[in-house]
Amino acid sequence: MVLTLSAAQARRIAVRAQLLTADRPGDIVETIDGVNVVGIDPTSAVAPSADHILWSRIGWPYQHADLVRAERVERAVFEWRGFYRLMDDLRLLLPEMRASPASASARDWLTANGRFRRDVLDRLRDEGPRHAAEIPDTAQVPWRSTGWTNNRNATQMLEILVSCGDVAVWGRDGKGRLFDLAERVYPGDVEHLSPHDAARERAERRLGALGIARAKGVSQPGEPIDVGDVGVPAVVEGGEGEWRVDRMLVDDGALEEPFAPRTALLSPLDRLVFDRERLRQLFSYEYVLEMYKPAAKRRWGYFALPILHGDRLIGKLDAKADHRAGVFLVNAVHDDVPFDEATAAAVQAEIHALARWLGLEPRGAMDD
């Protein structure tokens, strides 16, 4: 059976799956359980991405200290390959860790630097959490790259050891990531799954968080965006090709539940908008993060935030948090469709809520 969805149903499935309705989650664990992964990027034109993503779900009660406690004290979440994840999902990643590093060049480099590897592990064992800059470079063979990692041997060794599960990210501070032995961060009684079973359950988790996704997609660093053959096949009226829909939504009758809309200002790294092609197909929404463009070529701003209103993405907010001046400066609100009075009021209220959460005074466009 192939499920037929209206465009509105497809959008609402995606919004509800990402916990962006009025039915907010209660805490960090519930949020990450729902959205599957939370992207990490320290760029703070508005707020670091993880904090912004969590605030956009939980709302005012969320504070960065909550995330620090969940990671460092409770060990309920952990960082791996650029995302915060539930510690309960570690079992799904262990088969991939055991197969890492995937590239032959990285495996050869690791083999050639056996003594360096032992030096790094011994240093962490003796001294505890350390930044990459605090790890002496005793590499026998330097890491060669055409990118920024060229000859950054300690950083590259730590990246590889994290990917294969020997080292873990202990936490972050103002200087970046702190690394420690995985055995002191990860639990020791993790269920062992076969690579096939783990990959399938990961795909099911991913589809549950996306609600609706393509079977195949462009390869992404850190976390895929496609889901294979899990879920229920579906077509979207007026759309192209086949989608996969979370089976639980169908089996539990959740597709017929009332939709509770709200307005949200999203991080550019939010999983609702991360897959730009899916965004275009489901929401008819165009978005590009323009921070890497010359200022004269930007359409929406350096770090424009997608604006969600109900089940539609309706515009972009060009704003910046200026903590020195104590203001949240709104340069422009770009409306993809004209806002009616109620929509404009809802967007303005969310701008003020974001400013208050940041501890700043809103200024500029749409400020009273």
Side-chain angles (χ1 to χ4, degrees):
M1 180 190 79
V2 177
L3 192 65
T4 300
L5 302 169
S6 68
Q9 281 180 310
R11 292 193 303 268
R12 291 178 177 186
I13 287 170
V15 171
R16 185 185 283 117
Q18 277 290 298
L19 308 182
L20 285 165
T21 68
D23 302 317
R24 292 179 182 267
D27 59 24
I28 290 173
V29 171
E30 184 181 348
T31 301
I32 301 182
D33 185 36
V35 303
N36 188 38
V37 294
V38 170
I40 302 170
D41 190 304
T43 302
S44 55
V46 174
S49 64
D51 290 324
H52 188 161
I53 291 165
L54 291 168
W55 171 80
S56 65
R57 271 74 178 175
I58 300 168
W60 179 260
Y62 171 76
Q63 296 295 324
H64 178 71
D66 302 332
L67 179 58
V68 172
R69 183 173 60 254
E71 181 184 24
R72 296 190 191 178
V73 180
E74 299 168 356
R75 293 296 177 195
V77 304
F78 71 103
E79 176 182 340
W80 193 67
R81 290 191 172 172
F83 294 92
Y84 286 115
R85 306 165 188 268
L86 280 191
M87 191 64 79
D88 287 348
D89 286 343
L90 176 62
R91 65 193 184 88
L92 305 180
L93 302 172
L94 284 178
E96 184 174 337
M97 290 180 178
R98 296 188 195 105
S100 294
S103 74
S105 60
R107 290 195 299 271
D108 291 344
W109 185 78
L110 192 62
T111 299
N113 282 286
R115 188 181 67 200
F116 180 30
R117 175 179 177 276
R118 290 190 297 273
D119 289 346
V120 171
L121 294 175
D122 288 345
R123 172 77 58 158
L124 295 177
R125 182 173 292 106
D126 293 342
E127 299 182 1
R130 286 291 179 270
H131 298 101
E134 298 175 296
I135 301 295
D137 180 357
T138 61
Q140 295 100 308
V141 178
W143 176 261
R144 295 303 181 199
S145 168
T146 57
W148 72 276
T149 61
N150 187 60
N151 206 36
R152 296 174 67 95
N153 300 312
T155 297
Q156 194 59 32
M157 178 60 75
L158 288 166
E159 292 285 2
I160 291 175
L161 294 179
V162 168
S163 75
C164 66
D166 292 337
V167 168
V169 178
W170 179 86
R172 285 177 176 255
D173 63 12
K175 296 180 180 179
R177 291 175 297 173
L178 287 151
F179 300 89
D180 200 358
L181 297 180
E183 65 198 50
R184 295 204 287 236
V185 176
Y186 299 154
D189 55 347
V190 181
E191 178 185 9
H192 284 246
L193 298 175
S194 69
H196 175 271
D197 289 346
R200 186 166 186 85
E201 190 170 340
R202 276 186 74 185
E204 290 171 347
R205 284 275 289 126
R206 193 177 311 124
L207 181 55
L210 295 172
I212 179 170
R214 292 292 192 184
K216 295 181 180 180
V218 177
S219 179
Q220 297 286 333
E223 183 66 22
I225 57 175
D226 51 18
V227 297
D229 63 355
V230 303
V232 177
V235 294
V236 179
E237 292 176 350
E240 303 174 359
E242 188 175 276
W243 297 82
R244 310 297 295 191
V245 173
D246 180 18
R247 183 174 296 277
M248 290 185 64
L249 295 177
V250 180
D251 293 345
D252 296 347
L255 296 179
E256 307 305 321
E257 292 179 358
F259 181 76
R262 68 177 174 94
T263 303
L265 304 174
L266 304 180
S267 164
L269 274 69
D270 197 288
R271 297 307 279 182
L272 186 71
V273 302
F274 190 81
D275 182 348
R276 310 300 196 224
E277 182 60 21
R278 175 177 180 264
L279 195 59
R280 182 189 67 80
Q281 293 174 5
L282 290 184
F283 291 88
S284 300
Y285 184 74
E286 182 185 1
Y287 181 77
V288 177
L289 179 58
E290 298 180 308
M291 62 188 291
Y292 302 110
K293 287 186 176 183
K297 295 186 176 181
R298 294 172 189 151
R299 297 167 59 188
W300 306 304
Y302 175 81
F303 202 72
L305 309 183
I307 303 173
L308 176 70
H309 183 64
D311 65 358
R312 305 300 297 259
L313 286 153
I314 61 171
K316 293 91 177 171
L317 173 69
D318 178 10
K320 179 181 179 180
D322 187 341
H323 289 277
R324 285 191 176 184
V327 300
F328 184 59
L329 181 61
V330 178
N331 297 311
V333 179
H334 302 282
D335 55 347
D336 289 9
V337 294
F339 295 177
D340 60 25
E341 186 175 339
T343 300
V347 172
Q348 184 177 18
E350 195 65 9
I351 291 171
H352 280 250
L354 177 54
R356 287 195 303 272
W357 175 66
L358 292 168
L360 304 174
E361 287 294 323
R363 293 285 187 272
M366 294 193 72
D367 182 34
D368 284 334

